[in-house]
Every structure is written in C-alpha cells, then in structure tokens.
C-alpha cells in the first residue's frame, strides 16, 4: 500500500468516466482540514489518555488485593495499555481503508480538473482510456484524485471521537461538576461531524464516501472498545504479573487431609482454585 501511495507501483485500478458527469467536474480549492491536521489529531486521544490516567489514576481500583504498585508507575502502565489498544485499532482501520481506496479507485469530485485527461470529451461519451496531463501538481496528488471511496478523514475523526467518548465515560470517575465530561464528549462529536461534512463542502468526497467512512470509523471504534478494551474494564485485563509470586508461602488447604501453610490470602474473586499443583 505504501509503495502504491508513493507512486512506485503502477495504479491498480483506473476507472473510466462519462463526459457529462457533473459530480467529478468541481474545482479543488483546498482542504478545510488538511491531511497533516487529521493525522496530528490522532495524537490527541493519546495525550488525553495519558493526562487522564496521570491525574485520576487510583491504585485501589485498578489493582487486585495481591498487587502493589506506585501511583506514577501504575498510571504510566494504564496509559500505555489503553494507548496501545487505541493505536492498534486506528492503524488497522486506516490500512483497511487505504487498501479499499486502491482497489476501488473511485474518482473524486475534483477529478477532471486535477487529472486533466488527454481526451477531448463531448456529450455522453464514456472514456475508458486516458492519461493525466497535469504537471503542476505532484504525482501523489494526481493519483489521489482516484481514491475517493471511502473517506479516510471521516473514518479517522469518528474513530477518535467514539473511542474517547467511550473512554471518558468508563474510565473517568464522577467529577464535582456534572457538565465537564458531557461537554468534552460533545466537543469530540462536533469535531467528527465538522471534519466529515467539510470533506463534502471542499469537494474532496461524495456524500456516500463520507457516509461509508463514518460507518467504518464507528464500527472500528465499537470493536476496539468492546472487544479490544473489554469495555474499559480494568478487571478483565490479562496482567503479566502472576498472582503466585511466592509458591513456598502461598499454599492452600487441598481438602485431602494435608493442610498446608497459609500465607498471604489470595483474591477470591479473581482465582478459582479447584486443584493445587505441588511443585
């Protein structure tokens, strides 16, 4: 995908067009939200997650009874864990969307003015063979005019918004003001809506491209939060530290008549002991 985006590989799909197709004859006048801006916005959830965990982390809630950890180390661990889940979900979605763009090759609303085909087109004629002659723009931008579906901006902005809204709802405790979290969540959703609609008004995408990108972002965020993050329930996480830190002291009565020494109590809610393996 990267080689194709950089123009090092030939264009996979080259769609034709009708001469009287008004939907691809708009002029490109710039992006309200540029590609650099939307990519940088992807770092906002990471920063917000780290700030939230650093300020509001509570060891008694995030750790079991057998675990001890400093507050700073614990907040760092939690922030890193949720950031990884966010990053994996976002990158996976973007790779899928980028692949779809390459293999569908739908023409953007500004295709004709960007490509400038070397074909004299009249009436309702269908043009299937052409060559772009625009040398004023970069090769990447000219080829990008054939990658309209689905909207990557819409998908990314919706993914960011849904993930953060869900994260704030589940991970942030009730604050003294009832409007802090809802206002922040509303701002995040407004960002997603504004970013998506700007792709239509800028003539960068058709409305169905934006709709598909919005659905893709929502589905990807839902799957990441529900199945990847387990609804942001820290108790369902698989921790690397074992509860059996010391087998010589944490023994339990087997019920077979041999009573073993009992050390530090284990968390009954997290362990279901049916058998004891004697080392």
């Amino acid at each position: 995908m990267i080689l194709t985006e950089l123009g090092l590989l030939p264009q996979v799909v080259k769609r034709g067009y009708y001469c009287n197709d008004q939907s691809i004859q708009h002029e490109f006048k710039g992006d309200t939200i540029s590609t650099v801006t939307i990519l940088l916005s992807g770092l906002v959830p990471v920063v917000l997650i780290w700030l939230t965990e650093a300020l509001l982390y509570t060891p008694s809630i995030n750790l079991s009874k057998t675990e001890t950890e400093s507050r700073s180390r614990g907040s760092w661990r939690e922030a890193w864990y949720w950031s990884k889940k966010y990053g994996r979900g976002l990158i996976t979605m973007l790779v899928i969307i980028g692949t779809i763009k390459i293999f569908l090759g739908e023409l953007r609303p500004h295709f004709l003015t960007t490509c400038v085909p070397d074909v004299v087109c009249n009436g309702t004629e269908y043009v299937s063979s052409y060559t772009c002659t625009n040398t004023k723009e970069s090769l990447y931008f000219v080829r990008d005019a054939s990658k309209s579906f689905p909207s990557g901006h819409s998908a990314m902005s919706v993914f960011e918004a849904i993930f953060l809204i869900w994260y704030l709802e589940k991970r942030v405790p009730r604050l003294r003001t009832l409007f802090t979290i809802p206002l922040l969540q509303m701002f995040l959703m407004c960002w997603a809506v504004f970013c998506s609609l700007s792709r239509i008004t800028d003539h960068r995408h058709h409305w169905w491209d934006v709709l598909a990108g919005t659905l893709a972002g929502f589905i990807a965020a839902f799957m990441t939060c529900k199945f990847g993050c387990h609804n942001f329930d820290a108790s369902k996480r698989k921790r690397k530290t074992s509860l059996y830190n010391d087998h010589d002291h944490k023994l339990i009565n087997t019920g077979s008549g041999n009573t073993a020494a009992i050390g530090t109590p284990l968390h009954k809610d997290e362990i279901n002991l049916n058998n004891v393996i004697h080392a």
Side-chain angles (χ1 to χ4, degrees):
M1 188 183 71
I2 293 176
L3 292 176
T4 304
E5 290 286 348
L6 295 177
L8 300 178
L9 292 178
Q11 193 169 350
V12 178
V13 176
K14 193 172 183 179
R15 279 197 177 189
Y17 60 92
Y18 287 96
C19 297
N20 61 343
D21 188 354
Q22 298 294 325
S23 65
I24 60 173
Q25 297 183 17
H26 298 278
E27 291 187 12
F28 174 71
K29 298 182 179 180
D31 291 314
T32 301
I33 299 176
S34 65
T35 301
V36 175
T37 302
I38 192 66
L39 291 177
L40 290 177
S41 72
L43 300 176
V44 173
V46 177
V47 174
L48 189 57
I49 288 172
W50 283 76
L51 288 176
T52 302
E53 296 295 338
L55 296 175
L56 303 176
Y57 176 78
T58 305
S60 61
I61 296 177
N62 292 274
L63 295 177
S64 64
K65 295 180 180 179
T66 59
E67 294 177 294
T68 57
E69 191 173 48
S70 66
R71 187 179 187 280
S72 60
R73 183 180 178 183
S75 62
W76 182 90
R77 176 177 53 79
E78 291 294 320
W80 175 244
Y81 179 82
W82 302 122
S83 297
K84 285 195 301 182
K85 294 295 184 181
Y86 164 78
R88 289 174 182 174
L90 179 62
I91 293 174
T92 301
M93 180 195 69
L94 291 179
V95 169
I96 294 174
I97 286 180
T99 304
I100 294 174
K101 284 175 173 285
I102 291 173
F103 283 95
L104 285 185
E106 186 186 37
L107 308 181
R108 291 184 184 270
H110 59 86
F111 170 75
L112 289 181
T113 58
T114 300
C115 174
V116 190
D118 58 345
V119 176
V120 178
C121 194
N122 297 309
T124 60
E125 180 184 357
Y126 180 78
V127 178
S128 59
S129 179
Y130 59 89
T131 301
C132 294
T133 62
N134 188 353
T135 57
K136 296 180 180 179
E137 304 290 347
S138 64
L139 177 61
Y140 169 80
F141 184 74
V142 174
R143 297 182 67 170
D144 186 65
S146 300
K147 299 174 184 177
S148 186
F149 184 90
S151 171
H153 278 60
S154 301
M156 189 168 178
S157 61
V158 170
F159 181 90
E160 296 167 4
I162 297 298
F163 185 92
L164 270 181
I165 289 172
W166 204 323
Y167 170 83
L168 293 172
E169 187 68 24
K170 295 296 182 179
R171 291 290 294 167
V172 177
R174 293 183 179 273
L175 302 178
R176 291 184 177 181
T177 170
L178 298 177
F179 296 102
T180 303
I181 298 304
L183 284 176
L184 182 56
Q185 292 170 327
M186 185 183 300
F187 174 80
L188 291 169
M189 186 52 64
C190 288
W191 157 254
V193 172
F194 174 76
C195 184
S196 299
L197 292 180
S198 70
R199 304 307 286 172
I200 300 176
T201 58
D202 290 341
H203 300 303
R204 290 287 277 161
H205 287 285
H206 308 285
W207 66 265
W208 54 86
D209 302 332
V210 173
L211 178 60
T214 300
L215 291 176
F218 177 82
I219 293 173
F222 176 83
M223 294 184 67
T224 301
C225 296
K226 187 68 176 181
F227 303 108
C229 299
H230 302 289
N231 203 25
F232 295 101
D233 187 353
S235 65
K236 295 182 180 180
R237 287 177 45 186
K238 294 181 180 179
R239 302 183 184 278
K240 294 182 179 180
T241 56
S242 173
L243 292 175
Y244 296 95
N245 293 324
D246 188 352
H247 289 275
D248 295 330
H249 297 285
K250 293 182 179 179
L251 300 179
I252 298 180
N253 191 343
T254 63
S256 59
N258 297 324
T259 303
I262 300 178
T264 305
L266 299 178
H267 193 188
K268 296 181 181 179
D269 295 335
E270 295 186 1
I271 313 171
N272 182 16
L273 292 173
N274 295 322
N275 299 297
V276 175
I277 301 177
H278 298 278

